[in-house]
């Protein structure tokens, strides 16, 4: 089994303590979709970075942000932009070379 890619930026965890709370952004496979590689984005608030890493292990990709993110605002405003390992916007994840 391969582990999910952690796209948390170094800046996001710089200066944080293990108990500091933030939000996790997770891409989970969507078995209801007939499209290969389909996923759902899930936002979990009030979790620590270590908890985000633990929860993200069975996801496609994930990242932690040192702030509360609105769980209803999951759309990536730069969807389709090319990326290599991460995307600049908080709500975006780099999946298959594009921000999602």
């Amino acid at each position: 089994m391969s582990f999910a890619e952690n796209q948390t930026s170094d800046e996001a965890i710089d200066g944080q303590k293990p108990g500091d709370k933030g939000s996790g952004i997770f891409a989970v496979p969507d078995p209801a979709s007939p499209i290969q590689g389909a996923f759902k984005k899930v936002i979990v608030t009030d979790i620590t970075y270590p908890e985000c890493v633990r929860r993200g292990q069975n996801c496609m990709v994930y990242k932690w942000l040192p702030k509360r993110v609105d769980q209803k605002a999951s759309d990536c405003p730069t969807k389709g932009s090319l990326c290599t390992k991460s995307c600049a916007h908080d709500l975006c994840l780099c999946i298959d070379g594009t921000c999602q």
Side-chain angles (χ1 to χ4, degrees):
M1 177 178 191
S2 63
F3 287 105
E5 182 181 352
N6 182 345
Q7 295 184 0
T8 304
S9 69
D10 291 337
E11 293 80 23
I13 57 174
D14 189 38
Q16 299 293 320
K17 298 179 189 85
D20 289 347
K21 302 270 179 130
S23 300
I25 313 288
F26 304 91
V28 296
D30 182 0
S33 175
I35 300 169
Q36 183 175 354
F39 67 93
K40 292 181 181 183
K41 192 180 297 180
V42 178
I43 298 173
V44 179
T45 58
D46 297 324
I47 63 172
T48 64
Y49 175 68
E51 179 70 9
C52 181
V53 172
R54 186 184 66 74
R55 291 184 187 198
Q57 293 307 305
N58 293 320
C59 297
M60 296 166 64
V61 298
Y62 67 95
K63 69 178 169 182
W64 183 82
L65 303 167
K67 61 185 176 184
R68 185 174 182 86
V69 174
D70 183 357
Q71 292 174 311
K72 294 177 184 163
S74 64
D75 289 339
C76 171
T78 58
K79 188 174 185 174
S81 296
L82 297 179
C83 57
T84 55
K85 296 180 182 177
S86 65
C87 298
H89 194 276
D90 287 348
L91 295 175
C92 302
L93 296 165
C94 185
I95 300 174
D96 295 333
T98 61
C99 292
Q100 302 290 321

